[in-house]
């Protein structure tokens, strides 16, 4: 179930994930980081910057972070070492195969967290059911994912719509839902949570200053031609090399817009496990 991952782990992809913190990526979870001794599971941790931030907020507790990619697990481990964080452990692992992961047991975590993971899964409902099994009664599950169709920007420039349509088509071709952010609460209901045990909210990311635009557009310009996204676009017949080159130019042009503004909306849920 962990494959295929639309982005892969090219440097441009990891750069976009490495900017992430608890504050900018899981604000919905902050009210539940209310004890220094919580035990947290971070599912699909990527390069681990959110994991390390979570660990620093539970100094007497621990965070176990799993990801099927050994390359990112290695990177995340190094990042935690550099930050001097000793209560985070990173392990190669898939949420669907959690029984194979040392230290993962049913009902053993106060918080089970997944950020920008469900959009890459062919079976997000199955993943949430597994996460539910791993959460202690009285604990919470926190999930957040973007909604690609709700992304918006200013000014409208040639090619940006083409990029978004292509991204959505490639993700759907991989049998994933790029708009899953809008229905996380519905998936939770399907997983057996009563509506009253689910908090649904949204959080946004905005890129507008020259530095923010350089960061965000640069990442997408590189991703478009260097990550797994290129391979998937071409192999699926949804784009040619020329189409992708045109999209790179679009990102480079947008980056230079002094009054550029790019905004993403993320769906967020907290599920209370009884
Ligand atoms: C978009 S990245 C998010 C990384 C991190 N949570 C963050 O926000 O910085 C999605 C991650 O989910 C991982 N992933 C994909 N399928 C998974 C699965 N079945 N179980 C656990 N992790 C998975 C990928 O390897 C990838 O590193």
């Amino acid at each position: 179930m962990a494959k295929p991952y639309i982005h892969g782990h090219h440097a441009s992809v990891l750069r976009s994930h490495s900017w992430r913190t608890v504050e900018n990526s899981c604000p919905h979870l902050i009210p539940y980081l209310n004890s220094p001794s919580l035990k947290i599971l971070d599912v699909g941790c990527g390069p681990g910057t959110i994991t390390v931030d979570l660990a620093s907020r539970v100094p007497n507790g621990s965070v176990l972070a799993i990801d099927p990619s050994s390359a990112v697990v290695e990177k995340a481990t190094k990042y935690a070492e550099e930050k001097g964080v000793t209560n985070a452990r990173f392990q190669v692992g898939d949420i669907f195969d959690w029984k194979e992961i040392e230290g993962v047991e049913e009902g053993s975590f106060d918080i089970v967290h997944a950020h920008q993971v469900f959009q890459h899964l062919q079976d997000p409902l199955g993943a949430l059911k597994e996460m539910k099994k791993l959460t202690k009664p009285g604990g919470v599950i926190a999930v957040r994912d973007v909604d690609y169709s709700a992304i918006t920007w200013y000014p409208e420039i040639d090619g940006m719509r083409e990029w978004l349509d292509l991204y959505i088509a490639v993700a759907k071709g991989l049998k994933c839902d790029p708009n899953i952010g809008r229905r996380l609460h519905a998936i939770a209901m399907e997983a057996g949570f009563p509506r009253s045990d689910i908090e649904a909210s949204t959080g946004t990311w905005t890129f507008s200053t020259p530095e923010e635009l350089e960061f965000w557009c640069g990442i997408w310009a590189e991703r478009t031609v260097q990550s797994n996204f290129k391979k998937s676009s071409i192999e699926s017949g949804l784009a040619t090399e020329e189409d992708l080159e045109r999209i790179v130019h679009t990102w480079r042009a947008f980056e230079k817009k002094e009054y550029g503004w790019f905004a993403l909306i993320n769906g967020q849920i907290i599920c209370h496990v009884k």
Side-chain angles (χ1 to χ4, degrees), residues 1-3 5 7 9 17-18 20 42-50 66-69 72 93-96 113-117 119-121:
M1 283 297 171
K3 296 182 187 93
Y5 174 42
H7 299 304
H9 293 98
H17 300 171
S18 301
R20 297 176 184 173
D42 192 12
V43 177
C45 62
T49 58
I50 298 174
I66 61 166
D67 200 290
S69 160
V72 284
D94 185 316
I95 186 60
F96 294 100
H113 169 254
H115 183 253
Q116 310 297 353
V117 177
Q119 64 185 286
H120 300 298
L121 302 178

Side-chain angles (χ1 to χ4, degrees), residues 31-132:
Y32 297 98
L33 297 170
N34 52 8
S35 155
S37 49
L38 294 170
K39 199 173 159 199
I40 302 175
L41 175 67
D42 192 12
V43 177
C45 62
T49 58
I50 298 174
T51 317
V52 164
D53 195 356
L54 285 170
S56 68
R57 291 165 186 252
V58 292
N60 305 331
S62 62
V63 185
L64 172 61
I66 61 166
D67 200 290
S69 160
S70 54
V72 284
V73 165
E74 205 179 305
K75 193 180 154 81
T77 305
K78 277 197 191 127
Y79 178 73
E81 280 166 13
E82 277 162 28
K83 291 281 167 192
V85 167
T86 54
N87 60 336
R89 183 165 67 87
F90 296 88
Q91 196 146 333
V92 175
D94 185 316
I95 186 60
F96 294 100
D97 300 324
W98 59 264
K99 288 188 179 136
E100 291 168 20
I101 307 170
E102 196 194 320
V104 179
E105 280 164 27
E106 283 201 28
S108 60
F109 295 93
D110 298 294
I111 294 174
V112 178
H113 169 254
H115 183 253
Q116 310 297 353
V117 177
F118 276 30
Q119 64 185 286
H120 300 298
L121 302 178
Q122 294 177 350
D123 181 14
L125 171 61
L128 189 59
K129 285 181 178 168
E130 297 306 318
M131 290 165 72
K132 191 179 179 190

Side-chain angles (χ1 to χ4, degrees), residues 169-206:
V170 171
K172 287 187 174 166
L174 295 172
K175 300 193 172 27
C176 299
D177 182 359
N179 301 328
I180 200 164
R182 69 183 63 179
R183 64 181 185 93
L184 294 173
H185 65 293
I187 295 172
M189 290 172 77
E190 231 184 303
F193 287 98
R195 183 65 189 86
S196 52
D197 290 347
I198 307 164
E199 295 170 37
S201 60
T202 52
T204 59
W205 281 330
T206 310

